[in-house]
Amino acid sequence: EHSGKMIADLNHIMAGGVSAQALFRGGNELPLGPKTDIRFGDVLRLTGPDAALSSVAKQLGGHIILPTMKSEVLYLALAMLIGYLVGIITITISGIPFAFGTSAGVIMAGVFVSYFRSCNPEFGGPVHEGARSFLQDFGLNTFVAVLSANVGSKVIAALGGDTIFWLAGIGTVAALLPPLIAFLVGIKVFGLNSVISDGAATGARNSTPGLNAIMEESNSSIAAVPYPVAYALTTVLALIGGYFSMILQ
């Protein structure tokens, strides 16, 4: 009924202290102004008294989602389970085993769930913002801690003489140059949006913290769209490269 109208046309509906703060379409935040048009499936973030918000949501034909202290963990557990099962699937082609790995599978499941939720905030049930932030930070810190515990002793044992300087130099170049080249190729050659190109480059580096930083700085989750594709491709290529390295040795 209201699809195609502008925000200014809804002033008579958004009364009682209700004001529009943001508009999301397909998970992406759009510039909000009096002439911004709304379409079916858009997510409108409003502030105001609960009673007035309920009235506005009813008149707009939408569903109101209020901040809550509850968190639905069933969808989270199912997404992790599906990602884990996808990650352990191994397909052998010409004697070469291909698999995403459990970590990549769970990450991709999380990316897809996040994208669907950005399009429909009701997807996945209620989630308390504090709980979501805690899980995100705790998971990232745990990942870094476990990784450091597994490889830290080996790195220290390998550092001797001038090895540390070579390692630091090669590591810096290997960490910065490939994603920079990929980013520039994306925007210069393929004409991609800088955020999308950055998301793809981050996925190629398998850097979830980098993806989080991009989404935080851009105030958009669009970088998560190319992330799993690049993540999966580079994971497969790394497996193939490792396989041929073992053959050559």
Side-chain angles (χ1 to χ4, degrees), residues 50-205:
D50 290 351
L53 290 174
S54 299
S55 175
V56 171
K58 184 177 180 180
Q59 295 182 65
L60 291 177
H63 302 280
I64 186 171
I65 301 176
L66 297 174
T68 177
M69 296 297 293
K70 300 179 180 179
S71 295
E72 176 61 69
V73 297
L74 176 61
Y75 288 90
L76 175 64
L78 288 176
M80 293 176 63
L81 176 61
I82 294 173
Y84 180 85
L85 294 177
V86 170
I88 62 177
I89 296 175
T90 302
I91 301 176
T92 303
I93 302 177
S94 299
I96 303 176
F98 295 89
F100 284 120
T102 54
S103 58
V106 173
I107 288 176
M108 287 191 293
V111 170
F112 283 118
V113 170
S114 299
Y115 173 75
F116 291 135
R117 186 173 177 83
S118 67
C119 297
N120 180 12
E122 289 185 307
F123 180 81
V127 177
H128 182 246
E129 181 60 26
R132 185 205 63 78
S133 179
F134 169 77
L135 288 175
Q136 175 178 315
D137 294 339
F138 178 77
L140 177 59
N141 292 331
T142 302
F143 171 77
V144 174
V146 172
L147 181 63
S148 301
N150 288 334
V151 303
S153 58
K154 298 178 182 178
V155 171
I156 294 176
L159 297 179
D162 59 353
T163 304
I164 185 173
F165 299 106
W166 283 103
L167 183 63
I170 295 174
T172 301
V173 173
L176 298 179
L177 191 58
L180 177 60
I181 294 176
F183 173 75
L184 294 176
V185 169
I187 60 176
K188 298 296 184 180
V189 178
F190 296 102
L192 298 177
N193 177 277
S194 59
V195 177
I196 295 178
S197 182
D198 211 3
T202 306
R205 293 298 301 167

